Amino acid sequence: MLDIKITKTTEPKQKPAAGQKLGFGKIFTDHMFVMNYTEGKGWHDPRIEPFHNISLSPAAMVYHYGQEMFEGLKAYKGEDGKVFLFRPDMNAKRTNNTNDRLVIPQLPVEDFVQAVSTVVDVDRDWIPTEPGTSLYIRPFIIATDEFLGVAPSKTYLFMVILSPSGAYYESGLAPVGIWIEDEYVRAVRGGIGFAKTGGNYAASLIAQQKAHDAGFSQVLWLDGVERKYIEEVGAMNIFFKIAGKVVTPALSGSILPGITRDSTIQLCKAWGYEVEERKISADELLQAQKEGTLEEVFGTGTAAVISPVGKLRFKDEVMTIGDGTTGPLSMKLYDTITGIQTGKLPDTMGWRLEVGK
Ligand SMILES: *Cc1c(COP(=O)(O)O)cnc(C)c1O
């Protein structure tokens, strides 16, 4: 157990008004969690402080070689005022997988969960309650040594900041257009694709811009070697329903192992679907589309939960999926996962953690 020192703000900020459009990641709560790491001493000084700017040397390692990691999860307030986290232990485990790859020290799973729960509890009045809204939680670790040599840092900061966020789809689940990128790649096997780290995002921006310019909302990446097999979307994993089966790319080392992906697989199996985690080529999708067996396409990720895909572009072809609207499996997954997250549905899978209990 961490002995977390809590210093509350004496100048609480104005909370967003009910009904105010929150957007994503623009508003921050009154407090944040901070903990230091020093080689030889381990993680120390866990604390909750008023949200404030931090001061680092311009030579701090994170600014130069990108030794950093992040996580993303959400807190939800149910109708009875109870506050829930969704599978936070999975984020903690993924943190350590990312840390291993980036030579960042391990953080005990229970300390991660305690840090997140405690700061969420302190700022629980900031959790919005309108349908589709939530408190987005951003835990992250940065390398802080003042040193320009290329080596793992000996000091780090672990922080957790909180941002009330709006419904991803302001007018209900809306299918998006996706651009299958055939020029740039995001990750390769042996690289950092499975790690949740800023470098992957830096590498993705140019393709994202290209897709936007062409009128598509997200990029779907192909594998970095053959540029043939489907990997994942910008910040989502991807699923296809082909001739009644649920198909998703296998975790190959270059794909981020999404928690929503895992939850989706478990639910589909529990509902009796055959689920295949395997290689799937863009050509196979085109073929299924031509044969009329590509029934649904959807992305999975914490931000949107389930994101139906209405349109897929690959080279010169633009495929319309089904009739371009949200499919029944996408809808059922969205309703079930958000129902469990907000406490509306019973927690049959044991995925909820109540905060402050
Ligand atoms: C975070 C992330 C996902 C989705 O993971 P969830 O745990 O479901 O939110 C998928 N792809 C990338 C690249 C990500 O960073």
Side-chain angles (χ1 to χ4, degrees):
M1 278 276 274
L2 295 174
D3 184 15
I4 303 174
K5 179 169 173 252
I6 301 177
T7 309
K8 293 243 178 114
T9 180
T10 52
E11 294 165 37
K13 292 187 265 196
Q14 180 91 45
K15 294 189 182 64
Q20 179 185 328
K21 279 210 166 50
L22 299 169
F24 174 78
K26 289 187 284 201
I27 302 167
F28 297 94
T29 65
D30 280 326
H31 298 92
M32 62 187 192
F33 175 88
V34 188
M35 180 160 69
N36 296 76
Y37 179 91
T38 309
E39 196 178 70
K41 194 169 171 187
W43 292 104
H44 60 93
D45 291 305
R47 57 203 185 269
I48 287 170
E49 300 178 335
F51 186 93
H52 64 275
N53 290 350
I54 57 170
S55 165
L56 291 177
S57 162
M61 292 179 85
V62 63
Y63 295 137
H64 303 277
Y65 312 118
Q67 197 194 11
E68 71 93 40
M69 65 77 55
F70 69 92
E71 269 298 329
L73 67 164
K74 285 173 169 179
Y76 306 84
K77 196 179 264 181
E79 277 157 12
D80 50 8
K82 283 185 182 163
V83 172
F84 299 111
L85 300 175
F86 183 72
R87 311 186 71 188
D89 54 311
M90 295 285 284
N91 297 91
K93 286 175 195 146
R94 189 167 64 191
T95 292
N96 283 328
N97 291 337
T98 298
N99 288 6
D100 265 349
R101 180 63 179 80
L102 294 166
V103 203
I104 295 171
Q106 295 280 297
L107 187 61
V109 168
E110 56 280 11
D111 291 354
F112 177 99
V113 173
Q114 189 195 348
V116 168
S117 306
T118 310
V119 69
V120 166
D121 201 19
V122 167
D123 276 339
R124 64 192 290 139
D125 291 346
W126 280 86
I127 306 176
T129 53
E130 274 104 87
T133 63
S134 59
L135 184 71
Y136 184 77
I137 305 166
R138 169 52 58 86
F140 63 106
I141 300 173
I142 55 174
T144 52
D145 273 11
E146 186 179 42
F147 179 46
L148 295 182
V150 179
S153 183
K154 294 180 168 65
T155 60
Y156 298 86
L157 269 180
F158 171 51
M159 283 181 270
V160 183
I161 56 175
L162 308 171
S163 175
S165 294
Y168 200 82
Y169 298 104
E170 300 203 327
S171 43
L173 267 197
V176 295
I178 298 252
W179 170 277
I180 302 182
E181 173 59 41
D182 52 312
E183 179 187 1
Y184 300 109
V185 299
R186 171 185 174 274
V188 291
R189 264 165 62 192
I192 55 171
F194 70 89
K196 218 164 166 77
T197 183
N200 286 324
Y201 282 77
S204 77
L205 297 174
I206 192 167
Q208 183 68 30
Q209 201 171 50
K210 188 172 145 192
H212 274 172
D213 289 348
F216 291 79
S217 72
Q218 303 244 9
V219 170
L220 179 56
W221 299 101
L222 295 176
D223 75 277
V225 179
E226 295 179 70
R227 296 189 210 186
K228 194 170 149 188
Y229 297 101
I230 302 289
E231 296 235 304
E232 63 169 317
V233 189
M236 291 192 290
N237 297 108
I238 188 93
F239 283 77
F240 306 96
K241 185 160 165 274
I242 305 173
K245 285 185 196 168
V246 176
V247 185
T248 192
L251 298 178
S252 57
S254 50
I255 298 175
L256 202 289
I259 295 160
T260 323
R261 175 187 182 277
D262 182 81
S263 308
T264 296
I265 292 172
Q266 287 195 46
L267 285 174
C268 287
K269 284 184 178 164
W271 293 337
Y273 285 99
E274 206 174 305
V275 180
E276 296 179 346
E277 295 178 68
R278 62 168 170 87
K279 277 191 171 178
I280 174 164
S281 66
D283 287 336
E284 180 184 342
L285 291 182
L286 277 179
Q287 190 60 31
Q289 165 73 5
K290 286 196 181 111
E291 289 166 3
T293 54
L294 184 57
E295 294 154 2
E296 288 187 43
V297 180
F298 55 90
T300 64
T302 295
V305 185
I306 300 292
S307 185
V309 176
K311 212 169 60 167
L312 260 183
R313 166 270 177 199
F314 183 53
K315 295 184 174 158
D316 299 331
E317 309 225 26
V318 178
M319 305 175 239
T320 299
I321 313 302
D323 58 2
T325 65
T326 300
L329 177 61
S330 307
M331 200 67 231
K332 186 176 174 186
L333 281 164
Y334 180 83
D335 288 342
T336 306
I337 296 175
T338 57
I340 293 174
Q341 287 170 333
T342 56
K344 257 192 222 114
L345 291 179
D347 183 20
T348 49
M349 310 295 266
W351 284 342
R352 270 198 307 255
L353 178 72
E354 191 179 339
V355 166
K357 221 181 87 175

